[in-house]
């Protein structure tokens, strides 16, 4: 019983910035990797960025140098700072977390946020 709630999406001009947040709550024992995905209409969801429990990060080539993923373990929250936004960044963004609960332990299960719309338009 874990919920991920996203916020921070909206409309921004090309070259602008947005900061997405995703807070996890519920019966959480621990959270390992946290990720951001995005999905264009009619397309499969694609991985944007990953951050491990130790803070190691990976990015899709399309966002490398522009986006920064971070996390606050005390708040069970992952962030995505998006700078120098382009038209092609327009998508629904989803957060994802590998969560271990009291009942699932030691197994991890993936949980997803509801998605937040990011629109880059002039």
């Amino acid at each position: 019983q874990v919920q991920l709630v996203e916020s921070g999406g909206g409309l921004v001009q090309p070259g602008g910035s947005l900061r997405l947040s995703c807070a996890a709550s519920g019966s959480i024992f621990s959270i390992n990797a946290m990720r951001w995905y995005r999905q264009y209409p009619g397309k499969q969801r694609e991985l944007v960025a990953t951050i491990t429990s130790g803070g190691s990060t990976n990015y899709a080539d399309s966002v490398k140098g522009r986006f920064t993923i971070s996390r606050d373990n005390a708040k069970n929250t992952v962030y995505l700072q998006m700078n120098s936004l382009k038209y092609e960044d327009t998508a629904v963004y989803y957060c994802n977390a590998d969560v271990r609960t009291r009942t699932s332990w030691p197994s991890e299960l993936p949980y997803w946020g509801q998605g937040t719309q990011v629109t880059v338009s002039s």
Side-chain angles (χ1 to χ4, degrees), residues 40-102:
Y40 305 114
K43 303 295 183 180
Q44 295 190 52
R45 200 167 295 180
E46 66 179 37
L47 180 63
V48 174
T50 300
I51 185 167
T52 69
S53 60
S56 297
T57 59
N58 283 293
Y59 299 92
D61 288 340
S62 58
V63 307
K64 194 170 298 182
R66 300 187 298 119
F67 291 10
T68 302
I69 188 171
S70 61
R71 65 192 289 169
D72 185 336
N73 290 331
K75 297 180 179 179
N76 288 331
T77 299
V78 62
Y79 306 93
L80 186 67
Q81 178 66 46
M82 304 185 294
N83 298 326
S84 302
L85 284 162
K86 305 174 180 179
Y87 295 122
E88 53 263 42
D89 295 319
T90 296
V92 177
Y93 285 73
Y94 297 88
C95 67
N96 159 264
D98 294 332
V99 181
R100 182 178 291 111
T101 66
R102 300 291 179 181

Side-chain angles (χ1 to χ4, degrees), residues 4 8 11-16 21 25 28-30 43 49-50 60 66-69 88-89 102 113 115 117 119:
L4 274 62
L11 176 66
V12 66
Q13 294 182 346
S21 300
S25 62
I28 298 171
F29 180 81
S30 63
K43 303 295 183 180
T50 300
R66 300 187 298 119
F67 291 10
T68 302
I69 188 171
E88 53 263 42
D89 295 319
R102 300 291 179 181
Q117 177 71 47
T119 302

Side-chain angles (χ1 to χ4, degrees), residues 12-27:
V12 66
Q13 294 182 346
S17 298
L18 283 175
R19 184 176 184 249
L20 306 183
S21 300
C22 176
S25 62
S27 183

